[in-house]
Amino acid sequence: MAAGGAPVAIVTAASRGIGAACARTLAQRGYRLALMARSEDVLTLAGELSGIATRGSVAEPSDLERLVGVTLARYGRIDAVVNNSGHPAKGDLLSLEDEAWTEGFALILQSVIRMARLTTPVFLRQGAGSVVNISSLWAVEPHLDAPVSSTLRAALSSFTKLYADRYAAHGIRMNCLLAGFVDTHVVPERFAGSIPMGRPAAAAEIGRLASFLLSTEAGYVTGQSLRADGGLTRSL
C-alpha cells in the first residue's frame, strides 16, 4: 500500500479492450486510476471506476505531459503505469511508406520512452514504481502480417530490459506483457486453429496478468517479456 493512501496507476489507451480490462482489474485491487484515451468513452469508464481521465494520444508528448500533470495534481503520486496503445499500420514489408514506420515508432516505442522520462523522477522520489508495457507475441516471433508491430515491439522489449538494468537498484521495475490474440478482436482464420488452448484470451485475463506484474507479488520480476498467447509461439 502506498504511503498516504491507495496506490495510483496510470493506464493509457484505456477506453476499451485490454486497456479497459487493466483499468477494471486495478480498480478492483484498490488502485486509484488516471486514464487516458482518444475516445470519450474513457470519461465514462473513469467515472464508473471513481478515477480521473483525460482525452489524448500516447503519440502526442503534450498529452502525456498533461496526463502525468493531472495525475500528480489529483493524487500526489504515481505508483504504476500500464503503457497500452493501439495497433500500427499493416501492409507489405517494403510497400509501407515512411509515415507508417514513423507513426508506429511514436505509438509503440517513443510513447513508452516519453512516459518513462515523465514518471521515473516521481518513482525515484518515492523509492519505488512499476511499469507494464502491453506488447505482442510478434515481439518474439515476427510475422509478415504485422511488420511494423513485429519490428518495433522487439525494440520495446530491448528498451524494457535496458530500463530495468538502469533502475532496478532504485526499486523501479519495468516488464513487457506479450499478448496473443484477444477476444476483443476477430482472430484471423489462419491463426485460429493454431492456438493450443483453442481460443483467444479474454481481455480480463490480460488485465489480471498486468496487475500481477505491477504488484509486489512480482517484486523480483523486471526486464522480462512475458508471453500470454495460449501457447501459440513456438520459440523457447
Side-chain angles (χ1 to χ4, degrees), residues 67-89:
L67 172 62
V68 171
V70 299
T71 304
L72 291 172
R74 174 66 175 270
Y75 299 122
R77 64 181 300 114
I78 299 168
D79 300 280
V81 176
V82 177
N83 287 310
N84 187 40
S85 67
H87 299 286

Side-chain angles (χ1 to χ4, degrees), residues 24 61 123-124 209 228:
R24 293 182 188 281
F123 294 156
L124 288 170
L209 186 51

Side-chain angles (χ1 to χ4, degrees), residues 25-103:
T25 301
L26 290 169
Q28 292 166 3
R29 298 186 179 182
Y31 284 82
R32 295 174 288 174
L33 296 176
L35 311 179
M36 186 177 80
R38 290 178 294 180
S39 168
E40 65 181 11
D41 292 345
V42 76
L43 306 177
T44 303
L45 181 62
E48 175 190 331
L49 301 178
S50 301
I52 60 173
T54 63
R55 292 184 65 185
S57 168
V58 297
E60 292 295 332
S62 60
D63 290 346
L64 295 178
E65 291 169 6
R66 180 162 48 90
L67 172 62
V68 171
V70 299
T71 304
L72 291 172
R74 174 66 175 270
Y75 299 122
R77 64 181 300 114
I78 299 168
D79 300 280
V81 176
V82 177
N83 287 310
N84 187 40
S85 67
H87 299 286
K90 294 183 178 181
D92 181 68
L93 182 63
L94 298 184
S95 297
L96 285 159
E97 300 290 342
D98 287 354
E99 183 179 11
W101 291 95
T102 301
E103 290 177 352

Side-chain angles (χ1 to χ4, degrees), residues 89-175:
K90 294 183 178 181
D92 181 68
L93 182 63
L94 298 184
S95 297
L96 285 159
E97 300 290 342
D98 287 354
E99 183 179 11
W101 291 95
T102 301
E103 290 177 352
F105 173 72
L107 188 70
I108 293 173
L109 181 56
Q110 195 169 38
S111 62
V112 173
I113 297 169
R114 287 169 170 162
M115 182 65 86
R117 289 198 193 109
L118 292 167
T119 56
T120 301
V122 180
F123 294 156
L124 288 170
R125 288 196 299 271
Q126 296 170 178
S130 185
V131 180
V132 170
N133 303 319
I134 303 298
S135 188
S136 164
L137 75 165
W138 304 137
V140 290
E141 289 193 6
H143 200 284
L144 281 172
D145 277 8
V148 177
S149 181
S150 297
T151 301
L152 294 172
R153 294 193 194 280
L156 177 58
S157 290
S158 182
F159 175 81
T160 296
K161 183 65 176 81
L162 293 172
Y163 182 93
D165 290 347
R166 175 65 177 82
Y167 292 104
H170 298 277
I172 302 169
R173 300 183 297 111
M174 180 182 283
N175 292 287

